Amino acid sequence: YLFFDKPPPAELLPWPSTSPPFRISDDTSKLERESKHEAPIMVRMVHSILETVREEEGGGGGGRFCVDEFGVPLTVEKGIHQIDLHGDISGFLSAHPQSLLLSLHHFDFVNPIFPSMDRFQSTTHLMKAANADQSRLLQQTICYQNQRNWSISVSWGYSVHIYDRIYPRSMLKRPLETFMPWMEMKDPKQPAFMFNTRWPCETPTVFFFESVPKVSSADNLIVTTYSRSQPPSYPNCPWKGNHSADHISRVQVFSTATKRKDVERSECCDIEHLDGTNTAGVKLRACKDDEIIA
């Protein structure tokens, strides 16, 4: 069973039959019995953990306290996201750490991750890309079109950002601060986040995942399409480039149907754009041994 402190909100009901059944329990002694720990020391530890978690206000503090109580070191997995944020997290998801995506939490506290969709529709839409290639989901690939001074950042299965200036990879790998902190910061000198961010005035031309057709085994290719969206409502930077991407309404990303076994190194990509068309093409590929990504 899934044990909740309070009933699920109306937006999660009716409870899906594919999910484990849940129970509402404020009686910790009952939970101790149901945990089936016969050793008295285990019962005491479970009780201690429950009491500690009950008093912990932070979203992810409960899990950390549970681990601490058992004296087990905590292993940080970059693909597990507590999402202790509020508002628009598109900037965060568009610069995902270089690690397989494993889970996203607290979706009920953030805006829907796709425009014109609610939270449930957004999650279902993201799973369409995951079903095509989970190994690349949200993996960031950065490449450049030097003739137009474009920097392109692909968050596979979620978004494409086109900047009309050449920006270093170290900068583009930092999330745009489109979101707000989980808790109000009482001390303005205290960092709001546990990772570096970018000022959102560096607004790119934004494209969100639209569709992915069935994988063609003959071509061994997956083609994901991203349609243009309104940029975040932040001020534009005064140092805009001379080759705007405003005429681009759609981006197609071509990737091999072969799943990635190692995500420790980013892929490289090539940019194709035919003059007179409103579609840009990006081909993902393995980086060459002597390739300088710039």
Side-chain angles (χ1 to χ4, degrees), residues 144-192:
Y144 302 93
Q145 219 280 355
N146 292 321
Q147 288 77 12
R148 294 179 176 271
N149 280 342
W150 283 0
S151 303
I152 295 187
S153 174
V154 177
S155 177
W156 196 93
Y158 180 63
S159 69
V160 175
H161 289 179
I162 299 182
Y163 299 84
D164 52 8
R165 285 176 60 92
I166 299 295
Y167 290 116
R169 290 170 53 84
S170 58
M171 173 182 166
L172 297 178
K173 291 174 76 69
R174 298 200 308 269
L176 280 169
E177 195 177 317
T178 59
F179 39 81
M180 297 177 291
W182 177 258
M183 301 179 66
E184 183 178 354
M185 307 306 297
K186 298 180 180 179
D187 183 359
K189 296 182 180 180
Q190 183 180 357

Side-chain angles (χ1 to χ4, degrees), residues 267-282:
E267 289 186 296
C268 290
C269 55
D270 299 314
I271 302 172
E272 294 183 351
H273 171 67
L274 298 177
D275 290 336
T277 68
N278 62 354
T279 302
V282 179

Side-chain angles (χ1 to χ4, degrees), residues 42-54:
M42 293 301 294
V43 174
R44 291 197 302 270
M45 292 181 73
V46 170
H47 177 76
S48 174
I49 290 171
L50 289 171
E51 292 304 313
T52 304
V53 171
R54 185 184 300 277

Side-chain angles (χ1 to χ4, degrees), residues 55-294:
E55 297 176 1
E56 175 62 24
E57 296 182 358
R64 187 184 74 251
F65 274 111
C66 286
V67 174
D68 289 343
E69 288 292 330
F70 282 105
V72 179
L74 183 64
T75 301
V76 177
E77 172 52 61
K78 295 180 180 179
I80 298 177
H81 302 289
Q82 189 68 20
I83 310 293
D84 289 341
L85 305 169
H86 282 296
D88 175 12
I89 63 169
S90 62
F92 177 81
L93 297 180
S94 296
H96 186 269
Q98 201 165 315
S99 180
L100 286 174
L101 174 67
L102 297 179
S103 64
L104 297 169
H105 302 268
H106 288 169
F107 259 31
D108 51 336
F109 288 94
V110 299
N111 298 345
I113 60 175
F114 287 105
S116 304
M117 296 185 186
D118 59 29
R119 293 186 181 94
F120 179 78
Q121 292 170 333
S122 293
T123 305
T124 303
H125 191 56
L126 185 66
M127 289 302 99
K128 294 178 182 178
N131 291 334
D133 188 351
Q134 186 178 359
S135 70
R136 285 186 173 83
L137 187 63
L138 295 191
Q139 299 304 302
Q140 187 182 24
T141 304
I142 299 170
C143 47
Y144 302 93
Q145 219 280 355
N146 292 321
Q147 288 77 12
R148 294 179 176 271
N149 280 342
W150 283 0
S151 303
I152 295 187
S153 174
V154 177
S155 177
W156 196 93
Y158 180 63
S159 69
V160 175
H161 289 179
I162 299 182
Y163 299 84
D164 52 8
R165 285 176 60 92
I166 299 295
Y167 290 116
R169 290 170 53 84
S170 58
M171 173 182 166
L172 297 178
K173 291 174 76 69
R174 298 200 308 269
L176 280 169
E177 195 177 317
T178 59
F179 39 81
M180 297 177 291
W182 177 258
M183 301 179 66
E184 183 178 354
M185 307 306 297
K186 298 180 180 179
D187 183 359
K189 296 182 180 180
Q190 183 180 357
F193 310 104
M194 297 182 67
F195 50 87
N196 294 328
T197 61
R198 285 189 287 140
W199 176 238
C201 79
E202 298 159 356
T203 304
T205 304
V206 180
F207 305 81
F208 282 108
F209 170 66
E210 179 181 82
S211 63
V212 54
K214 292 184 178 180
V215 179
S216 172
S217 56
D219 297 333
N220 195 38
L221 281 177
I222 298 176
V223 182
T224 48
T225 301
Y226 305 76
S227 59
R228 184 170 176 170
S229 175
Q230 291 294 326
S233 56
Y234 294 102
N236 291 327
C237 285
W239 50 83
K240 285 287 185 180
N242 297 324
H243 298 277
S244 172
D246 289 346
H247 62 290
I248 301 295
S249 62
R250 184 169 277 100
V251 177
Q252 288 187 317
V253 177
F254 302 84
S255 59
T256 174
T258 304
K259 304 298 186 290
R260 298 192 67 191
K261 296 181 180 180
D262 182 10
V263 296
E264 295 302 319
R265 184 182 182 186
S266 299
E267 289 186 296
C268 290
C269 55
D270 299 314
I271 302 172
E272 294 183 351
H273 171 67
L274 298 177
D275 290 336
T277 68
N278 62 354
T279 302
V282 179
K283 287 187 176 181
L284 305 189
R285 58 174 175 78
C287 298
K288 301 174 183 177
D289 292 337
D290 58 348
E291 185 169 4
I292 299 175
I293 308 174

